[in-house]
Every structure is written in C-alpha cells, then in structure tokens.
Amino acid sequence: MLIKETYSREETKYLKIGFGVALGILAIVLFWISANNSISHQEKGSYYPVLARFNRTDGLLVGDLVRLAGMNVGKVVDARLDENFKAVMTLEIKEDVKLPDDSSASIVSSGLMGAKYIEIEPGGSEDMIEPNGEFAYTQDAMVLEELLDRIVSIGKANRNSEKKEINNSTEENINE
C-alpha cells in the first residue's frame, strides 16, 4: 500500500528552483576545479622544463613561482616522488633565461609565514642547463618548527652550562 505524495504548485516551484541552484553551484565548482588543474603562465612566451630534486618540499605547491634575483622567471608545473622517495619538481623557466649548469635551486618563503617559492642562484659555469636537465645543487625547505626546536635546545644547553658554572664557582668559594 503505497501512498503517493503530491506537492502543491508552490512546493513544486521551490523544488525546481532549488534543483536549478544546486546544478548551477555544481557547474561553477567543476569549472573552478578544471581551471585550477591547468598551470599556465601569466606572461606569454616560450618556456623550457628543468628538474629539481629535493629531500623535502614542505609548503611548496604546483603553481608556485620560480624566481631569479627576485624576478619571476617561471613556475613549478609538476611534482612527483622518485624511486628514492625524493621530491622531483618540474620547473618551467622562460626561454630567454639561460641558467649555468652549476646553478642551485632553494626553497624559500617570502617572509616568516609567507608563501613558498623556488629561488635560483646562478653559478659561474659557461655550460648551460639543457631543457629537461637537472639542477646539480638544491637546498630543501626550512621548516619553522624545526628551527624553533633548535633555538630552544640551544637555549636550554646554554642555561644548563651557566648553572653548572655558577654551582662550580659557589663550591669553590665555600671550599676556600
């Protein structure tokens, strides 16, 4: 015994509007996701790929900038793990920017809590990195928590050594 539910005209109208709004939101979300999946450069022109291998890339994402002397020269366009569990980042560098093959790539942040990017330090070699070549030298991202832990442990070690010195000098004064 099924009871057929009927809706009034007003309820049917609201259901249709709600369904239309839900479809519109879904279409916008799908468009936004598909637009963000393709990495494109703001500046038009030709780019060539270069690989950079890091032990850790904390906070660096596909789409982040590549800079040389503070100027934007490319973007990170791909990230993957190699067989040794190192992060291999594919960078696209402007065609007119030729990098010596002894250049280094470092992951840095703009400010204390700023966004991460790759800073390139050019080397002095006369040979250039070829397209699909790789940086010979890389420096991993510095993790703020690790840095703070190091500073705290150095402070504790200094405090403990000062206490020992005070105790030793106090004992010497008592023995005299």
Side-chain angles (χ1 to χ4, degrees), residues 87-104:
V88 179
M89 310 301 280
T90 303
L91 317 177
E92 281 192 348
I93 308 294
K94 288 181 185 178
E95 191 72 42
D96 60 338
V97 177
K98 303 297 182 196
L99 300 171
D101 65 358
D102 61 344
S103 298
S104 66

Side-chain angles (χ1 to χ4, degrees), residues 40-101:
S40 62
H41 297 277
Q42 287 181 337
E43 297 178 22
K44 300 297 179 200
S46 297
Y47 293 82
Y48 66 97
V50 178
L51 302 177
R53 201 173 301 266
F54 297 97
N55 290 319
R56 62 184 315 155
T57 61
D58 300 296
L60 185 70
L61 303 170
V62 171
D64 285 344
L65 296 174
V66 177
R67 294 183 180 169
L68 174 69
M71 303 297 295
N72 297 340
V73 295
K75 280 192 176 192
V76 178
V77 295
D78 188 39
R80 62 180 173 81
L81 284 175
D82 68 5
E83 62 278 353
N84 296 320
F85 305 107
K86 290 191 175 195
V88 179
M89 310 301 280
T90 303
L91 317 177
E92 281 192 348
I93 308 294
K94 288 181 185 178
E95 191 72 42
D96 60 338
V97 177
K98 303 297 182 196
L99 300 171
D101 65 358

Side-chain angles (χ1 to χ4, degrees), residues 123-163:
S125 174
E126 301 217 1
D127 298 325
M128 300 298 152
I129 298 176
E130 297 293 324
N132 294 312
E134 187 170 335
F135 282 96
Y137 309 103
T138 58
Q139 183 177 346
D140 298 338
M142 178 56 83
V143 181
L144 185 62
E145 291 83 14
E146 287 180 5
L147 183 61
L148 290 175
D149 285 343
R150 287 182 189 174
I151 292 170
V152 168
S153 64
I154 290 170
K156 284 181 181 179
N158 287 341
R159 188 176 62 202
N160 289 338
S161 67
E162 288 174 4
K163 283 182 182 178

Side-chain angles (χ1 to χ4, degrees), residues 19-29:
F19 187 67
V21 169
L23 282 177
I25 291 172
L26 181 64
I28 291 171
V29 168

